[in-house]
Amino acid sequence: MNERKLRRFCTAMILFAMLTRLLGGVGAERRESSAGVETRVWPVRLLAAKPADEPSDEIAELPVENSAPPERQIAAEVTKLPEAFSAAEADAITIAGACSYAVDKAALLTRPSALTAKADGPKVLIVHTHTSEAYTPEPGWEYESSDPLRTGDAEHSVVRLGTRVAELLNAHGIETLHDTALNDYPSYNGAYERMRQTIEGYLAQYPSIEMVLDLHRDAANDPAGMPVAFTAEVDGGSDEGGLTHPDWKENLANALKLQALLNRIAPGLCRDIDLRTERFNQHETPGSLLVEVGSSGNTLPEALSAVRLFADVLADEMTGM
């Protein structure tokens, strides 16, 4: 990416939240025992764990998870060499949040990646667990709302971002699928469980998928209750809560690498990583990310500008360019 291009897109950078929300069980999500999980370095074999009762997830945006996915053998014969990240780049990324685990950022940044764009078949699946999430409308970008700052109009919701990212990744030679089905309306409750089933359907049909990219937008209000526009943020997750996901560090490593690469070309773009205990369906593939682009106070044109830079960096990371 040349300097002129970077200047054009850095002017509109907004909230990225690359969540490796991998494992956990708090609030409204279903809990599972970690007993009965056989872990291998790579590939892995996940054995179904014992589920507990399933409460509602209506209050908080937390997953309603079910049993572990069926056994999937993920080819890792071809892995890229570790990136040349410096200790300073690792130190520049702050990991905050409720998770109490100590994380070796430098080690994760130099961890060989399980992602490769060299094999045949789709490599990336873009989904939207909260499909109707939308932005503050501006002249020329109005839409019919289903709820405040939500719409079933795919041209004005986060689905529009997924379409753009899919176009850019495919243009880079990374075969990408995009699921645009409305997943959170009319019932917002249970959206993560419905999306889990959708993801596993795609993985059964396309075992070549290495990354599930769940695109969202964040939501925040100021003290007066007005939507806030953010700049950038990266969140993450762990297995501290108890849900089955033995390879959460692989997802976190990918999030760290993407943030470090974005920091090289747009310093300050990404906020701190908020390491969480939920997994948010991140256990399904080694490269899963939950990316929050902008907040409720941002506009769709700002978000579209942001995902262009994100997609370019992601493509470079996956292809080793």
Side-chain angles (χ1 to χ4, degrees):
M1 292 177 287
N2 58 43
E3 183 177 355
R4 180 180 178 184
K5 180 179 179 182
L6 294 179
R7 285 199 303 267
R8 185 168 65 251
F9 292 112
C10 287
T11 57
M13 288 307 96
I14 54 178
L15 176 69
F16 282 114
M18 296 180 291
L19 287 95
T20 50
R21 292 176 178 173
L22 314 171
L23 225 163
V26 299
E29 62 181 333
R30 163 176 295 218
R31 300 184 61 88
E32 295 174 349
S33 167
S34 60
V37 180
E38 177 183 350
T39 305
R40 302 174 184 172
V41 176
W42 204 256
V44 299
R45 180 170 181 260
L46 302 180
L47 304 182
K50 179 183 178 181
D53 293 336
E54 180 177 348
S56 169
D57 68 348
E58 186 170 359
I59 296 177
E61 294 187 15
L62 298 174
V64 180
E65 299 291 358
N66 211 331
S67 59
E71 179 178 348
R72 295 185 66 243
Q73 297 294 323
I74 303 174
E77 290 80 9
V78 181
T79 56
K80 293 184 297 182
L81 294 176
E83 297 274 1
F85 293 109
S86 67
E89 288 180 301
D91 291 339
I93 302 174
T94 299
I95 298 180
C99 181
S100 65
Y101 286 171
V103 176
D104 189 338
K105 295 179 291 185
L108 290 176
L109 278 173
T110 57
R111 181 178 181 144
S113 176
L115 303 178
T116 173
K118 297 180 176 61
D120 294 334
K123 288 291 169 290
V124 177
L125 168 64
I126 298 174
V127 300
H128 306 278
T129 298
H130 298 148
T131 324
S132 65
E133 289 176 334
Y135 296 89
T136 296
E138 62 179 17
W141 295 80
E142 297 88 353
Y143 53 83
E144 182 178 351
S145 298
S146 56
D147 285 303
L149 294 173
R150 292 179 179 272
T151 182
D153 181 356
E155 287 297 305
H156 293 88
S157 70
V158 291
V159 176
R160 177 77 174 268
L161 306 183
T163 299
R164 187 63 179 135
V165 173
E167 291 172 350
L168 293 166
L169 293 180
N170 279 306
H172 280 279
I174 300 171
E175 189 172 348
T176 301
L177 304 175
H178 184 203
D179 183 83
T180 62
L182 191 58
N183 185 66
D184 64 344
Y185 188 86
S187 176
Y188 182 84
N189 190 36
Y192 277 95
E193 168 59 15
R194 290 191 293 274
M195 185 51 68
R196 181 191 66 79
Q197 296 178 29
T198 296
I199 291 170
E200 291 184 1
Y202 275 98
L203 296 180
Q205 186 174 0
Y206 304 102
S208 58
I209 292 173
E210 298 176 346
M211 170 178 284
V212 175
L213 187 60
D214 192 356
L215 286 178
H216 293 246
R217 68 111 172 95
D218 201 2
N221 293 328
D222 63 18
M226 299 301 294
V228 174
F230 284 137
T231 50
E233 181 175 9
V234 177
D235 295 347
S238 73
D239 64 353
E240 191 169 18
L243 284 177
T244 304
H245 190 353
D247 295 288
W248 64 271
K249 287 185 178 180
E250 179 65 31
N251 297 89
L252 180 56
N254 289 318
L256 285 165
K257 291 170 187 176
L258 280 169
Q259 181 168 351
L261 292 172
L262 286 164
N263 284 344
R264 288 180 181 180
I265 60 175
L269 170 65
C270 299
R271 298 167 68 191
D272 295 346
I273 290 180
D274 183 12
L275 192 60
R276 302 284 297 276
T277 59
E278 299 83 10
R279 71 179 180 186
F280 294 89
N281 292 324
Q282 300 293 295
H283 62 300
E284 298 287 0
T285 62
S288 291
L289 292 174
L290 195 160
V291 181
E292 289 183 335
V293 185
S295 188
S296 48
N298 290 106
T299 66
L300 181 56
E302 290 175 331
L304 288 168
S305 295
V307 295
R308 175 60 184 261
L309 182 60
F310 170 79
D312 284 346
V313 172
L314 175 60
D316 289 347
E317 168 66 9
M318 291 191 70
T319 58
M321 296 176 63

